[in-house]
């Protein structure tokens, strides 16, 4: 596996200027196919619906077992990685740290992942399973328990394991190995440089189309629920005209959020989502049957965990029917269809976290919130029907699931206020889905670039809104949703390959780490001829930026140049490079094997407390000191070479290069 600096490679094959940055094969192929599929679903909506329904029926009847095994495998895979020795590996260089706090991180991944689904199905799904359970008699205590168990199963760790597979692969290859942050990069260990050819373009184009239509269909169906909410609040008619206007408004807000960027836009709206969601959650707990909800929260948690294994592999083969196709397999297909979009977005916001921290955060934190949400909302709804005899709620859910939430709030106090908050929450969840989807599509069509012009992200936000509105008018949304879920089957195969590629890359890195820690064949020389008084001076004085730059220019660069020249004399492909930030590095290329990379760079640190008398930010900057640290491809090694002699630097490079050759010997 030969991983070089791949960003220039992608820039060379793409097109970039001051006002646009695209990867033409993916950008134009995705745009043309989007137009053609949209036209087919709009113009021949009935025929398209029939074709897509047959596709989905074949997938359910013939490949249901494959879905079940694959999703179970994804869950086992990510949990095993987290608690293995690979769990300590960071999604980025070893010295990297997370960009976002836990609160912001959880809010963003949850808003993009399934926040809107909880709003739509939090009341409706438990009631529907209670009225029509997969097995057994309906509307009994056993049906109620089964309803909550099945609902939590559909919205629990399996869904997040699907997202985690894609996100983990992309974050590892993108942030740790320096490959483009696109779906194609996850296949690098399997097909190598061919990811930059037709295979890679096809994989990324498939992900772009899936993201566009996944977001567009969800946006289209979601405005139906928003329409129901404002109809309840303000007596607004429920029709296509109002829904198109809602799509226009939501797309406009999403466009503004996209223009503001990830930090000012998506992060802030996601945090608002969580505040509103927690507020509604607490309200339902207090206004509903509080003791019953607390008891069922405990029981549902235990029931979910104790039945997790048996439910994972349950295909209801001995109770044949259409239930599993309409529910479990439908959900698995929908989560897989959404995984390129959600997985890439989660990867984008997870740089710097360890694999263990990532998996625990992505799997188990959303699970806890989901158990509480489904228990409080769905449990209260079931209690209303089963204990209080409010069968009208069940009838309303059966008639139209989009109004279930508002019918539910009408039974509780302050129904107008809570319905208004719920409508606002649905809108903000769709805004985060739209703007994060636009961010992902833009990254895919620009070759993984994170610095593309703002207009490109705005363009894709508008495309998603236009597709949703056009299909809503033409009646092609249902057909496209069915097609999106059917398309999950081929992407499941891609996800299996992603798991294989990630495991191969992690095993290779593990071998490299053990090689770097092994004994050297030759002893190292003493690194510095300094006297002990010189060492004291270098420890206490703490060099500034200019001093470190001067040392890199006068000592480090000449030392690296000598090493590179000698290696070239011996027939090796060695080069030295310099960065604008003062760093210098030597790179030795080994053809199809992993290259050697040794870098010395400046890294600023805050002065210790006994030096920092003035805590103003300007003063802190003035007093900052710098270390001259060694970095390999995997990240910083954490030691400072400031003051080392030229010979000492050369010997350190050779020590690391010898370790690298030991590693190559082990993986050959």
């Amino acid at each position: 596996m030969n991983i070089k600096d791949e960003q220039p490679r992608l820039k060379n094959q793409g097109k970039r200027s001051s006002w646009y940055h695209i990867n033409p094969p993916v950008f134009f192929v995705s745009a043309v196919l989007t137009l053609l599929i949209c036209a087919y679903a709009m113009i021949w909506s009935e025929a398209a619906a029939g074709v897509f329904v047959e596709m989905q029926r074949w997938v359910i009847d013939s490949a249901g077992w494959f879905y079940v095994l694959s999703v179970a495998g994804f869950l086992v895979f990510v949990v095993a990685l987290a608690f293995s020795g690979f769990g300590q590996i960071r999604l980025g260089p070893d010295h990297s740290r997370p960009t976002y706090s836990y609160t912001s991180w959880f809010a963003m991944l949850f808003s993009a992942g399934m926040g809107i689904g909880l709003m739509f199905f939090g009341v409706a799904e438990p009631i529907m399973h209670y009225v029509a359970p997969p097995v057994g008699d309906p509307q009994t205590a056993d049906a109620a328990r089964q309803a909550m168990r099945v609902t939590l199963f559909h919205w629990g760790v399996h869904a997040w394991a699907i997202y985690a597979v894609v996100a983990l692969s992309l974050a590892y290859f993108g942030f740790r190995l320096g490959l483009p942050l696109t779906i194609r990069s996850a296949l690098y260990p399997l097909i190598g440089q061919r990811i930059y050819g037709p295979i890679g373009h096809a994989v990324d184009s498939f992900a772009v189309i899936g993201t566009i239509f996944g977001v567009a269909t969800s946006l289209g169906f979601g405005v139906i629920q928003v329409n129901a909410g404002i109809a309840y609040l303000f007596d607004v008619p429920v029709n296509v005209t109002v829904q198109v206007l809602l799509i226009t408004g939501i797309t406009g807000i999403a466009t503004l959020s996209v223009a503001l960027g990830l930090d000012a836009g998506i992060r802030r709206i996601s945090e608002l989502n969580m505040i509103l969601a927690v507020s509604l959650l607490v309200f339902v707990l207090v206004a509903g049957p509080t003791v019953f909800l607390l008891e069922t929260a405990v029981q549902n948690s235990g029931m979910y965990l104790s039945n997790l294994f048996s439910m994972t592999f349950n295909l209801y083969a001995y109770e044949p029917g259409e239930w599993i196709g309409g529910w479990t397999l439908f959900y698995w297909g929908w989560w897989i269809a959404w995984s390129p979009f959600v997985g890439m977005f989660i990867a984008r916001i997870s740089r710097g976290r360890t694999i263990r921290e990532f998996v625990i955060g992505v799997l188990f934190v959303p699970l806890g919130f989901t158990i509480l949400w489904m228990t409080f909302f769905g449990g209260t709804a079931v209690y209303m029907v089963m204990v209080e005899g409010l069968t009208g709620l069940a009838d309303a859910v059966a008639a139209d699931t989009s109004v279930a939430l508002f019918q539910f709030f009408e039974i509780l106090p302050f129904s107008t206020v809570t319905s208004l908050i719920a409508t606002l929450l649905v809108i903000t969840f769709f805004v985060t889905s739209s703007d994060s989807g636009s961010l992902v599509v833009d990254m895919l069509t620009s070759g993984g670039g994170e610095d593309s012009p703002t207009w490109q992200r705005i363009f894709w936000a508008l495309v998603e809104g236009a597709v949703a509105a056009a299909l809503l008018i033409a009646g092609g949304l249902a057909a496209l949703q069915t097609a999106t879920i059917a398309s999950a089957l081929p992407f499941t195969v891609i996800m299996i390959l992603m798991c294989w590629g990630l495991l191969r890359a992690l095993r290779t890195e593990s071998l490299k780490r053990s090689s770097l820690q092994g004994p050297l064949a030759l002893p190292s020389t003493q690194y510095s001829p300094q006297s002990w008084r010189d060492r004291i001076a270098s420890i206490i004085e703490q060099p500034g930026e200019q001093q470190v730059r001067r040392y890199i220019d006068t000592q480090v660069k000449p030392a690296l140049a000598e090493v590179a020249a000698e290696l070239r004399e011996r027939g090796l492909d060695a080069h030295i490079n310099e960065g604008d930030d003062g760093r210098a590095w030597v790179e030795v290329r080994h053809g199809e094997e992993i290259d050697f990379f040794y870098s010395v760079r400046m890294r600023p640190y805050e002065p210790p407390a006994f030096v920092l008398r003035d805590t103003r930010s300007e003063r802190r900057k003035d007093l900052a000191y710098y270390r001259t640290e060694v970095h390999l491809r995997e990240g910083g090694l954490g030691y400072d070479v400031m003051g080392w002699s030229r010979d000492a630097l050369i010997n350190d490079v050779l020590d690391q290069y010898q370790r690298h050759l030991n590693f190559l010997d082990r993986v050959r």
Side-chain angles (χ1 to χ4, degrees):
M1 188 170 60
N2 178 23
I3 299 178
K4 301 173 181 159
D5 185 2
E6 301 292 357
Q7 292 299 339
R9 184 186 301 272
L10 204 60
K11 291 175 186 176
N12 291 335
Q13 77 167 20
K15 291 188 177 181
R16 183 178 190 142
S17 73
S18 58
W19 65 276
Y20 72 94
H21 178 194
I22 63 172
N23 183 17
V26 177
F27 187 95
F28 292 113
V29 168
S30 302
V32 171
L33 287 179
T34 298
L35 179 63
L36 293 177
I37 296 172
C38 243
Y40 178 58
M42 290 170 57
I43 299 174
W44 297 282
S45 56
E46 292 186 6
V51 171
F52 295 150
V53 166
E54 285 302 315
M55 287 172 53
Q56 185 181 7
R57 181 176 293 113
W58 181 87
V59 169
I60 291 172
D61 293 342
S62 304
W65 61 270
F66 179 69
Y67 270 151
V68 167
L69 278 181
S70 299
V71 173
F74 297 149
L75 177 59
V76 172
F77 177 75
V78 294
V79 172
L81 282 187
F83 294 99
S84 69
F86 301 134
Q88 295 299 324
I89 296 176
R90 287 197 176 275
L91 301 176
D94 288 337
H95 61 277
S96 62
R97 292 297 180 268
T99 306
Y100 302 101
S101 66
Y102 281 116
T103 301
S104 297
W105 184 51
F106 292 145
M108 285 191 287
L109 68 88
F110 196 79
S111 294
M114 57 177 59
I116 187 60
L118 296 184
M119 295 295 297
F120 198 90
F121 288 102
V123 171
E125 184 169 346
I127 288 293
M128 294 170 78
H129 294 321
Y130 173 70
V131 173
V135 294
D137 296 328
Q139 301 188 43
T140 62
D142 184 65
R145 285 190 294 269
Q146 189 175 187
M148 296 308 305
R149 184 172 67 247
V150 169
T151 300
L152 295 179
F153 174 65
H154 290 158
W155 294 85
V157 292
H158 291 78
W160 289 98
I162 292 170
Y163 295 156
V165 165
V166 178
L168 194 57
S169 297
L170 294 177
Y172 178 81
F173 289 107
F175 298 136
R176 188 158 185 87
L177 301 187
L179 292 172
L181 194 62
T182 59
I183 302 295
R184 71 175 74 199
S185 296
L187 303 181
Y188 190 93
L190 305 179
I191 63 175
Q193 301 296 329
R194 283 177 290 176
I195 65 168
Y196 298 104
I199 296 176
H201 298 327
V203 169
D204 281 351
S205 298
F206 184 87
V208 169
I209 295 169
T211 298
I212 291 175
F213 288 128
V215 173
T217 52
S218 294
L219 184 62
F221 284 117
V223 297
I224 297 174
Q225 187 179 31
V226 176
N227 196 174
I230 62 174
Y232 170 78
L233 292 168
F234 307 112
D235 199 26
V236 174
V238 177
N239 55 44
V240 174
T241 302
V242 174
Q243 290 159 10
V244 170
L245 292 175
L246 287 171
I247 289 177
T248 304
I250 292 173
T251 302
I253 299 172
T255 302
L256 176 61
S257 176
V258 164
L260 291 174
L262 184 60
D263 288 338
I266 299 174
R267 180 169 68 91
R268 296 300 184 190
I269 296 178
S270 297
E271 290 172 351
L272 172 63
N273 288 345
M274 290 305 296
I275 292 172
L276 293 176
V278 171
S279 299
L280 282 180
L281 195 67
V282 173
F283 169 77
V284 172
L285 173 63
V286 174
T290 305
V291 175
F292 172 80
L293 294 179
L294 294 175
E295 291 175 344
T296 52
V298 175
Q299 182 171 334
N300 289 344
S301 300
M303 186 168 54
Y304 172 77
L305 295 174
S306 63
N307 289 276
L308 186 62
F309 187 84
S310 62
M311 294 188 67
T312 297
F313 297 97
N314 189 1
L315 279 164
Y316 295 96
Y318 297 103
E319 302 94 1
E322 297 183 355
W323 185 91
I324 190 170
W327 285 103
T328 302
L329 297 182
F330 176 90
Y331 272 124
W332 287 181
W334 187 242
W335 302 142
I336 292 170
W338 265 63
S339 63
F341 150 51
V342 181
M344 179 167 286
F345 181 75
I346 293 175
R348 172 67 178 79
I349 62 175
S350 300
R351 186 180 190 273
R353 301 197 182 277
T354 65
I355 290 178
R356 182 169 301 143
E357 181 184 13
F358 173 89
V359 171
I360 291 174
V362 170
L363 288 190
F364 299 114
V365 174
L367 173 64
F369 188 84
T370 300
I371 288 176
L372 293 178
W373 185 276
M374 289 299 189
T375 296
F376 291 178
F377 279 78
T380 301
V382 170
Y383 182 88
M384 290 174 175
V385 176
M386 181 176 67
V387 178
E388 297 181 353
L390 300 176
T391 56
L393 179 59
D395 296 336
V397 170
D400 187 356
T401 54
S402 66
V403 301
L405 184 64
F406 305 105
Q407 293 285 344
F408 170 78
F409 280 130
E410 191 171 349
I411 301 172
L412 297 175
F414 310 109
S415 58
T416 301
V417 175
T418 53
S419 296
L420 181 62
I421 294 174
T423 303
L424 178 62
L425 187 55
V426 172
I427 292 173
T428 55
F429 271 133
F430 272 109
V431 168
T432 53
S433 294
S434 178
D435 55 16
S436 54
S438 305
L439 176 67
V440 167
V441 171
D442 180 54
M443 291 176 67
L444 287 168
T445 55
S446 64
E450 300 179 34
D451 57 347
S452 58
T454 303
W455 76 263
Q456 289 184 202
R457 298 192 297 274
I458 293 176
F459 168 77
W460 289 115
L462 296 176
V463 166
E464 290 165 357
V467 169
L471 291 172
L472 190 64
I473 294 172
L477 273 174
L480 200 58
Q481 185 187 43
T482 304
T484 302
I485 296 167
S487 70
L489 182 61
F491 195 76
T492 305
V493 177
I494 294 176
M495 289 181 64
I496 293 173
L497 296 177
M498 294 172 78
C499 293
W500 183 17
L502 178 60
L503 187 59
R504 286 186 61 177
L506 289 172
R507 290 185 62 191
T508 302
E509 175 164 340
S510 178
L511 285 173
K512 184 172 185 180
R513 283 173 169 267
S514 63
S515 298
L516 292 176
Q517 295 169 359
L520 296 175
L522 297 174
S524 300
T525 60
Q526 293 296 321
Y527 280 160
S528 177
Q530 299 179 66
S531 70
W532 62 271
R533 290 185 176 86
D534 293 333
R535 291 191 63 190
I536 290 177
S538 66
I539 292 171
I540 295 178
E541 289 177 0
Q542 296 173 339
E545 180 179 0
Q546 294 305 316
Q547 186 178 353
V548 170
R549 282 184 181 272
R550 186 165 53 252
Y551 174 74
I552 292 177
D553 289 337
T554 60
Q555 295 295 326
V556 174
K557 292 178 182 177
L560 298 182
E562 287 187 46
V563 172
E566 183 64 25
L567 291 174
R568 284 196 299 272
E569 284 289 328
R570 297 176 182 273
L572 295 173
D573 185 10
H575 304 271
I576 62 167
N577 297 280
E578 302 176 12
D580 295 336
D581 57 356
R583 77 181 66 180
W585 67 91
V586 62
E587 185 173 5
V588 185
R589 297 175 180 171
H590 286 273
E592 291 303 315
E593 296 182 308
I594 296 177
D595 299 336
F596 172 71
F597 177 89
Y598 180 101
S599 170
V600 177
R601 64 180 69 183
M602 301 187 304
R603 190 174 180 191
Y605 287 86
E606 288 188 0
F610 66 85
V611 174
L612 193 60
R613 307 294 185 187
D614 188 346
T615 58
R616 291 176 299 176
S617 59
E618 297 84 358
R619 182 61 175 158
R620 295 167 74 94
K621 184 177 180 180
D622 292 339
L623 291 176
Y625 70 96
Y626 287 76
R627 284 164 52 96
T628 315
E629 296 189 355
V630 173
H631 287 238
L632 301 181
R633 175 70 69 182
E634 295 74 27
L637 297 183
Y639 63 87
D640 185 7
V641 297
M642 182 67 185
W644 287 17
S645 67
R646 193 173 300 181
D647 286 343
L649 289 167
I650 291 173
N651 277 289
D652 192 54
V653 176
L654 297 180
D655 282 348
Q656 297 297 345
Y657 186 53
Q658 188 173 351
R659 289 189 174 101
H660 183 76
L661 293 179
N662 290 342
F663 157 67
L664 293 183
D665 287 338
R666 296 186 62 178
V667 298
R668 285 187 178 120

